[in-house]
């Protein structure tokens, strides 16, 4: 199904996005996966579930850093000592719109417990589209502006957020502790965070 002119204008040029991310052409549903993970057919169903990683098997998170949608500089390292929920999203993505209220609600409920949220906005052609998305859903945590997917490429060789939307949870020691390759409900998101809160 072809994208509408409005959808096409909301994304960066496809050639640049494919070169940067290796993403497949987006469907009208607004969900895409990266090809560099190349999971087998048997793994695809499992990859869509909530993946919790035992502490002994966790890998260090990459050095995410850059400009936010509102023009500030931020880095994942700034949140060391906190649990960090990293959500990959785009304003053009229908599943991203579905999960946005759940992300904001859990952010508000857990920030006093040492949980931080950091978005990665990708494949939006302009900041205006992304900022309108945040305003519409009342999102108050920051997002890195990553139209070409450079931040996502930093996950290569780790447990990668290889879909849009994706969510990765980083433990207080800066390691990847959980991942989801789907739009999350509030309950599912809490299931990713709660075990880390109990680790102390």
């Amino acid at each position: 199904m072809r994208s509408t002119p409005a959808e096409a204008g909301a994304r960066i040029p496809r050639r640049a996005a494919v070169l940067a991310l290796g993403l497949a052409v987006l469907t009208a549903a607004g969900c895409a996966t990266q090809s560099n993970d190349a999971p087998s057919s048997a793994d695809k169903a499992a990859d869509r579930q909530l993946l919790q990683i035992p502490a002994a098997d966790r890998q260090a998170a990459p050095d995410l850093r850059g400009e936010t949608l509102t023009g500030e500089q931020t880095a994942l390292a700034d949140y060391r000592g906190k649990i960090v929920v990293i959500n990959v999203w785009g304003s053009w993505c229908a599943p991203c719109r579905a999960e946005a209220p759940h992300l904001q609600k859990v952010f508000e409920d857990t920030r006093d417990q040492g949980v931080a949220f950091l978005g990665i906005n990708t494949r939006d052609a302009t900041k205006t589209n992304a900022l309108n998305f945040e305003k519409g859903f009342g999102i108050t945590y920051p997002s890195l502006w990553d139209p070409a997917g450079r931040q996502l490429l930093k996950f290569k060789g780790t447990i990668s957020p290889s879909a849009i939307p994706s969510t990765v949870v980083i433990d207080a020691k800066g390691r990847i502790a959980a991942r989801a390759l789907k739009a999350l409900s509030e309950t599912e998101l809490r299931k990713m965070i709660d075990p880390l809160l109990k680790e102390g």
Side-chain angles (χ1 to χ4, degrees):
M1 182 178 295
R2 292 184 177 179
S3 298
T4 66
E7 288 173 329
R11 305 172 193 161
I12 64 172
R14 188 175 68 182
R15 177 176 294 179
V18 170
L19 289 174
L21 288 170
L23 293 178
V25 177
L26 294 174
T27 64
C31 186
T33 59
Q34 290 182 6
S35 61
N36 47 356
D37 274 1
S40 68
S41 297
D43 290 336
K44 285 180 181 178
D47 279 348
R48 289 293 172 180
Q49 303 303 312
L50 305 183
L51 174 64
Q52 299 283 163
I53 304 167
D57 298 331
R58 294 173 190 167
Q59 298 171 282
D63 182 26
L64 305 177
R65 61 178 60 244
E67 181 180 320
T68 68
L69 289 173
T70 52
E72 293 84 14
Q73 293 293 315
T74 193
L76 180 59
D78 297 339
Y79 300 95
R80 183 57 63 92
K82 292 179 176 288
I83 296 165
V84 186
V85 177
I86 298 172
N87 178 255
V88 182
W89 64 278
S91 68
W92 43 266
C93 167
C96 300
R97 293 193 290 272
E99 72 174 357
H102 306 307
L103 291 163
Q104 178 63 24
K105 176 65 163 59
V106 177
F107 165 64
E108 292 172 356
D109 289 349
T110 60
R111 57 185 169 184
D112 290 339
Q113 301 175 59
V115 180
F117 277 54
L118 179 64
I120 300 178
N121 172 258
T122 192
R123 295 202 69 186
D124 270 309
T126 68
K127 285 186 178 181
T128 300
N129 297 324
L131 289 168
N132 286 339
F133 177 101
E134 289 194 329
K135 182 178 179 180
F137 288 103
I139 303 299
T140 57
Y141 54 85
S143 281
L144 288 166
W145 166 237
D146 189 32
R150 292 185 178 88
Q151 300 295 332
L152 302 184
L153 288 176
K154 294 178 181 180
F155 282 93
K156 186 176 181 180
T158 70
I159 304 298
S160 175
S162 54
I164 304 171
S166 289
T167 299
V168 175
V169 182
I170 310 301
D171 68 16
K173 295 181 180 179
R175 304 172 301 177
I176 300 171
R179 181 189 67 176
L181 302 179
K182 54 175 282 184
L184 292 170
S185 68
E186 182 179 334
T187 298
E188 289 170 329
L189 182 53
R190 290 183 187 277
K191 284 181 179 178
M192 298 174 73
I193 297 170
D194 287 348
L196 303 182
L197 289 172
K198 294 174 182 177
E199 288 180 1

